Amino acid sequence: MINDVVDWHAHWVPPELVAYLSERTTEPMVTVEEDGRWFAAAPGLRQRLKENQLDIALRIAEMDRTGITRQVLSLAVVLGTFLGSLPAELEKTLVSANNGGLARLIRERGDRFSGLAALPLAHLAEAPAFLEKAVGEQGLLGAILPADAFADKATAERHAGIFEMANRLGAHLFIHPGPLPGTPPAPVALDDAEIVRRRAVAFQDSLTAAVVTFEYTDFLDPYPDAVVHVANLGGTIALLAERISMTAERMGVPPRLADGRLHRLIVDTASFGGRGVALAAETLGVDRLVFGSDSPALALAPARSGVEAAGLNAVDRKNILTGSALRRLGKKSSRSLTGSA
């Protein structure tokens, strides 16, 4: 049995954030109706709150059943809608409520949870200070950032202040599918193909583009102490690694990058099974993989089974499940995961 299994890709919406939205009388707001609570992100866009996903006791019970020691929690969406799609004038309040609630949970249950802050990207000049407070005062490891912010180097450079602060703090930056501020909430998908196109293809494409920015430009060069972790096996980069290697000379890719492997990033295993994890271990390098689940959107058991089914040796499997790659790289991450200040 493997002890100290860490799930680096898990999400939670703190009650402090839900309480703020419940006080509002215009969208975005949480309403209480006869059939339960609903979140109205914008006029005509509403969905029922998934109450079980907000319940920490239920989450811990699932972790115990699955043998997960710790989850690193972050805010992927605000009750189903990306933060960047909500009004910019509310962003700092939403971020503060989230980070404060997450910090409270860490104080209360730091034996089971660590956290990554949300940042106000519609107010970029203030985002580094939010990161500094999150790490220095609130006990969080770093922050979650949307993949669209790194679609190319020019866009990434707009976020340099966040990386400068992360580098100074040795903080963890988690790159997750998500849009830039000002992106309207997505309308209801028209058919099954549109759902797959949005949630599988487009999400993975955005992560792949971010990986290319990080690995194939010099954007990260000034930030050697910032720990950068990309969700979902880095998009489709594991599949493309072989193509990059085979076509590197024709494309003019420098020989040091021609192997198609990752040299700076860590990626997690969330939303992939044994075949995907095995391919990523072979092409990207097993030392670049950590365990992730995308809980509570996805159940923990299949996520862990995917790592177990990848056909890796016992040492490599244990290293992925315990997050040894991030423990090696992340100064702050390592301290927080062992309970130190």
Side-chain angles (χ1 to χ4, degrees), residues 54-184:
L54 306 177
D55 191 312
I56 285 294
L58 290 177
R59 181 185 295 261
I60 291 175
E62 184 185 14
M63 291 167 65
D64 289 344
R65 290 194 303 271
T66 319
I68 307 300
T69 309
R70 176 180 298 274
Q71 285 191 326
V72 181
L73 302 176
S74 56
L75 183 72
V77 292
V78 179
L79 303 175
T81 299
F82 285 112
L83 180 63
S85 296
L86 296 176
E89 63 269 21
L90 301 182
E91 186 189 45
K92 287 189 287 185
T93 301
L94 294 171
V95 164
S96 295
N98 174 78
N99 296 353
L102 194 50
R104 173 193 53 76
L105 178 66
I106 303 310
R107 290 193 300 271
E108 295 173 355
R109 293 308 312 261
D111 58 323
R112 303 305 301 269
F113 299 106
S114 299
L116 295 165
L119 299 180
L121 298 192
H123 304 82
L124 267 178
E126 299 176 61
F130 274 78
L131 177 58
E132 184 175 33
K133 178 179 180 179
V135 175
E137 299 178 23
Q138 295 178 310
L140 306 183
L141 304 182
I144 183 172
L145 296 170
D148 287 4
F150 309 99
D152 52 50
K153 185 182 176 184
T155 307
E157 292 286 5
R158 302 209 303 262
H159 303 83
I162 295 170
F163 278 74
E164 290 167 3
M165 181 61 70
N167 188 67
R168 181 163 73 79
L169 299 171
H172 182 120
L173 298 177
F174 176 33
I175 314 303
H176 186 277
L180 289 168
T183 304

Side-chain angles (χ1 to χ4, degrees), residues 3-14:
N3 297 317
D4 300 322
V5 176
V6 181
D7 178 0
W8 284 92
H9 181 160
H11 305 298
W12 183 55
V13 180

Side-chain angles (χ1 to χ4, degrees), residues 188-237:
V188 176
L190 297 177
D191 54 33
D192 293 342
E194 180 63 16
I195 293 172
V196 172
R197 194 175 293 116
R198 285 187 197 176
R199 303 297 297 274
V201 178
F203 279 8
Q204 292 302 101
D205 283 350
S206 71
L207 293 170
T208 306
V211 169
V212 171
T213 297
F214 292 134
E215 289 284 348
Y216 292 92
T217 77
D218 60 359
F219 172 73
L220 284 180
D221 288 358
Y223 318 117
D225 292 328
V227 178
V228 184
H229 153 209
V230 181
N232 302 0
L233 292 181
T236 59
I237 198 69

Side-chain angles (χ1 to χ4, degrees), residues 241-305:
E242 186 175 54
R243 174 172 169 78
I244 292 168
S245 179
M246 292 183 68
T247 62
E249 184 176 357
R250 178 170 62 83
M251 293 190 299
V253 174
R256 65 184 178 84
L257 301 176
D259 59 4
R261 297 172 76 84
L262 297 181
H263 299 272
R264 180 64 200 280
L265 302 177
I266 300 296
V267 299
D268 68 53
T269 62
S271 72
F272 280 88
R275 287 178 295 179
V277 174
L279 177 63
E282 178 184 357
T283 59
L284 306 181
V286 70
D287 60 328
R288 294 285 152 181
L289 272 61
V290 296
F291 174 62
S293 70
D294 201 12
S295 163
L298 299 177
L300 285 175
R304 177 154 187 177
S305 296

